[in-house]
Amino acid sequence: TRARNYSVDDTTRLLKDLTEAHGIPGYESPVREVTRRYLEGLGEFSQDKLGSLICCKEGTAPAPRVMLAGHLDEIGFMVKQITDEGFLRFLPLGGWFDQVLLGQRVIVKSRLGDVVGVIGVKPPHLLSADERKKVVEKKDMYIDIGATSRQEVEEAGVRPGDPVIPRADFAVMANGKSYLSKAFDDRVGVAIAIAALRNLQGCEHPNTVFAAATVMEEVGLRGATTSARVINPDVGIVLEADIAGDVPGVKAEESNVKLGKGPTILLYDSRMIPNLKLRDLVMDIAAELGIPVQLSTIEGGATDGAAIHLTNAGVPTVVIGVPARHIHSHSSILHRDDFDHAVQLVTHLITRLDADTVAGLTQ
């Protein structure tokens, strides 16, 4: 079955709206509403009690139950303390590399509205020579919202527990094919799920598809755990931002994944080895369609697949990724061709997952 395509402008707008939306672990409401708007009319909605959004698209058979998973949350921070001088101490929600934080702008979502701030530390002019050589740790940083007292912070509506979001916009880069934004991890996965459901409208598929926009992946795969219990899937397809290794300092033996060379198929991560027959089926479909794919391993991380594949008696699961540079920072980069190929691959994979095929994955 040939998948339908949608316009370039639709795709660019989808990625822009999803990535610019706010939604860190536990505070996903804004991006969930954006996602719901894009999924409207594509299936029936439900929600688990942690907040993961599930859209069910019926095919020609009630089973197998195919779960698509992309996580809503992006990495961010939470206000931990307010100092007497009006600075905010914070804790990370998700994995931040200390060196990408200093000087970055953030948005504190207070009860009175959004408050802009910047991450700071003791000025370098006041550091000793030895101190300047050391990497500053998060615990020594603060968020400065321009206040001069605790009272000013409180008057702005800021309280401990408030979420803090990276401030960064979406941009199309010079070659017209590369996109720069925050939160591609994992709004790109959510976007693939939305695009695949669009393609399936009016297209026969021998199963029922559940597109899950999961919450709190970055703090322990929590939404994937609960939404998989709600869905009770027969097969899982995790949609993720993968790590591009085509930057200075990365050796070929560490990563061969490159921007623009195709979506990735994960061979291994620290908490899941994919179902081998499903992995091979994805590779075979890609070869049939002439879709370039790259093979990836992640030794220092995991995906929602770690929770999904352990649901009930086990769920055959695979991870399809879009390479991205600089993930887990304020600004990451991906390539439009990789996204389009991932959507095409996922759409065609769904049309091949009939009852006999899925049963064969675990025989």
Side-chain angles (χ1 to χ4, degrees), residues 242-246 255-267 279 282-283 286 291-297 319-324 335 337-338 341 345:
D242 203 350
I243 300 167
D246 59 345
S255 174
N256 278 315
V257 175
K258 295 177 171 57
L259 222 61
K261 301 301 181 182
T264 65
I265 300 171
L266 204 62
L267 302 179
R279 180 203 69 186
V282 176
M283 294 172 68
I291 296 174
V293 292
Q294 306 181 80
L295 303 180
S296 175
T297 59
V319 179
I320 296 173
V322 173
H335 198 282
D337 289 350
D338 298 332
H341 280 131
L345 181 57

Side-chain angles (χ1 to χ4, degrees), residues 72-228:
L72 287 170
D73 56 313
E74 60 185 302
I75 58 173
F77 313 96
M78 179 192 291
V79 176
K80 181 180 178 182
Q81 295 174 339
I82 301 169
T83 71
D84 290 340
E85 297 76 22
F87 298 99
L88 312 181
R89 295 292 183 184
F90 61 89
L91 57 84
L93 293 177
W96 283 97
F97 184 35
D98 292 349
Q99 294 189 57
V100 305
L101 292 179
L102 284 180
Q104 295 288 353
R105 296 185 183 187
V106 295
I107 295 170
V108 183
K109 298 192 75 66
S110 85
R111 61 190 173 90
L112 299 181
D114 290 352
V115 177
V116 68
V118 63
I119 297 176
V121 75
K122 183 178 177 180
H125 310 78
L126 304 180
L127 297 177
S128 67
D130 286 341
E131 286 177 321
R132 291 183 191 182
K133 296 176 183 178
K134 296 178 181 178
V135 175
V136 180
E137 298 181 21
K138 287 186 288 290
K139 65 180 179 63
D140 297 319
M141 301 179 193
Y142 53 80
I143 295 171
D144 186 348
I145 64 167
T148 59
S149 67
R150 180 190 296 271
Q151 181 180 349
E152 285 188 22
V153 174
E154 293 172 349
E155 288 172 353
V158 175
R159 298 180 292 185
D162 284 346
V164 182
I165 288 87
R167 186 184 185 192
D169 62 347
F170 176 94
V172 179
M173 304 185 81
N175 62 6
K177 287 284 189 86
S178 295
Y179 298 160
L180 174 73
S181 191
K182 72 174 182 64
F184 278 133
D185 180 11
D186 183 35
R187 307 290 165 71
V188 68
V190 176
I192 293 169
I194 292 169
L197 254 59
R198 283 176 171 175
N199 285 343
L200 292 173
Q201 304 301 306
C203 170
E204 287 193 358
H205 53 100
N207 45 46
T208 296
V209 178
F210 296 82
T214 65
V215 297
M216 292 189 271
E217 188 267 359
E218 297 289 1
V219 291
L221 320 178
R222 299 174 189 179
T225 302
T226 52
S227 60

